[in-house]
Amino acid sequence: MLMGKHLIAGQWVDGDKKFQNMPVSGSADSFAVGTPDLVDQAARAAEDAFWSYGYSTRAERAKFLRSIADQIDARGDDITAMGVKETGLPEGRLAGERGRTIGQLRLFADHIEAGNYLDRRHDEALPDRAPLPRPDLKMVQRPIGPVAVFGASNFPLAFSTAGGDTAAALAAGCPVVVKGHSAHPGVSDIVAQAILAAIKECGIHPGVFSQIQGGNRAVGQAIVQHPLIKAVGFTGSLGGGRALFDLCAARPEPVPFFGELGSINPMFILDAALDQRGTAIAEGWAGSLTMGAGQFCTNPGVAIVTEGSKAEAFGAAAAKALSAVGSQTMLTDGIAEAYHQGRDRVAGQEGVRDLLTTTCDLRNATPYLYATTGEKWLANEELGEEVFGPLGVIVTVKDADERLAVAKALQGQLTCTIHMDDADTKDGQALMPVLERKAGRLLVNGFPTGVEVSDTMVHGGPYPASTNFGATSVGTMSIRRFLRPVCYQNIPDALLPADLA
């Protein structure tokens, strides 16, 4: 059963104004509209909760995370049904995303229990050192305080209410205030119910989690500018993310804005690989490009190949594979409209030719494929802008030097991929120093859609892929975003945090 309200510090709070979700099928559901006043209530409750939750034991927080996972799992059928209704995503995709969400929570429980993330250090006192003695110094990572999280449109579970940002913040010891995404308020409602059940089961301060649904830009601005919010996690558009980033920087007390904003995730297909298995790579690219209607931040939108007959064959194979993909429902009307606009923008650029054109309207997406030259690509920055959906661009370069020039001209990316055979090793070696400066994750002979949740994963990169090149929003290292190092000099054990004593 949907509550249709905001969850503020353990209470379901209604509002005078309502908005409705946009179901693919079935009747719409009504939800209360958020306000800046609700933001203030949630932030104050989060600060109050921090004085207990921020100083709780790792075992207590691990139990809480596992309880949230269990409560989400118990509501699995309801979450899937609502997700299919709101987003048009298939049941299998939503079930898999729920498994990833649950897995993230349990992974962080294990991670904080192990304690390695604390980076504990100790320089013992040297009272007899000349010319000056050294004091006893200890260091440990400590939680920063209440964190704001913006739900993502394209991941109603894994990057939203109880997604990776929330899991990392709660694991660190930081209460969370979530701004639910209007694309899937029903899913967010059910997940919030699961979190509240875990709060009650574990006896946690209810201010540890609040969720505010809907609302205009003033609500988002109020969240990032509230003086009690100490960091912000965001996954979304470049324009929206950059506006919130600037607000965070303009605060009297600036706070970090961890935004994952956009990426074209280029693939460099080297000559021997193109010659030996160009068709297979093209078919794999088509599958990756159209997965989930192309609504993944790691969607590989651009393929770079050397001009010639093999490049033409690659384009023909990709067009054939893409033409077999039918129309897919996009997550929202707005995302579909932005996709159609992106298609028109690419198609209207000088030096771009059509390899596959289709027809789509309303909330539907069909694949498009275009080609241009390395020279035109380097001369036109608009060709390097993300189109969120199943649209691909093939860039044909004259030689290895122009390929390297294309790589150096790239903006920051989440991923960069090389397809190569042994004979391509020299060209691959030339690309690697460039690409590792451009992206947070590098792949060889694979496709970037599908992000493993693990200790080693980096989901981030130089701007505009993300606003903080030293952070990741996926994997256990993402907890570092919500911690800060504190040094304790000559502090008695009785006054030290439990993780140091």
Side-chain angles (χ1 to χ4, degrees), residues 97-131:
E97 190 181 333
R98 187 177 75 250
R100 170 176 169 167
T101 305
I102 291 169
Q104 288 177 154
L105 290 160
R106 291 173 176 158
L107 177 64
F108 271 112
D110 294 340
H111 185 63
I112 61 175
E113 281 182 334
N116 295 333
Y117 77 99
L118 294 167
D119 193 19
R120 288 173 283 208
R121 305 183 185 199
H122 184 197
D123 290 317
E124 294 184 359
L126 298 175
D128 298 325
R129 189 183 66 174

Side-chain angles (χ1 to χ4, degrees), residues 404-421:
L404 201 60
V406 168
K408 289 180 178 179
L410 289 170
Q411 292 185 308
Q413 305 292 327
L414 293 171
T415 74
C416 288
T417 300
I418 298 174
H419 287 274
M420 59 176 287
D421 286 350

Side-chain angles (χ1 to χ4, degrees), residues 48-131:
D48 190 45
F50 182 69
W51 296 112
S52 57
Y53 189 73
Y55 299 86
S56 60
T57 67
R58 288 178 283 134
E60 289 170 336
R61 297 199 301 278
K63 179 183 176 182
F64 180 42
L65 293 169
R66 293 187 179 109
S67 179
I68 296 173
D70 292 343
Q71 294 291 345
I72 292 173
D73 202 21
R75 293 162 175 77
D77 291 344
D78 292 339
I79 290 170
T80 297
M82 181 56 66
V84 170
K85 174 181 174 178
E86 289 188 317
T87 68
L89 294 171
E91 289 186 9
R93 153 71 194 274
L94 287 162
E97 190 181 333
R98 187 177 75 250
R100 170 176 169 167
T101 305
I102 291 169
Q104 288 177 154
L105 290 160
R106 291 173 176 158
L107 177 64
F108 271 112
D110 294 340
H111 185 63
I112 61 175
E113 281 182 334
N116 295 333
Y117 77 99
L118 294 167
D119 193 19
R120 288 173 283 208
R121 305 183 185 199
H122 184 197
D123 290 317
E124 294 184 359
L126 298 175
D128 298 325
R129 189 183 66 174

Side-chain angles (χ1 to χ4, degrees), residues 13 35 45 72 110 118 127 129 132 178 197 215 284 291 298 300 351 381 393 403 409 428 436 442 476 480 489 491 493:
V13 180
T35 65
I72 292 173
D110 294 340
L118 294 167
R129 189 183 66 174
L132 294 172
V178 169
M291 182 186 299
T298 53
E381 290 185 358
V393 177
R403 180 197 299 127
E436 71 176 15
L442 306 181
T476 55
R480 293 186 182 181
Q489 181 170 328
I491 303 296
D493 286 351

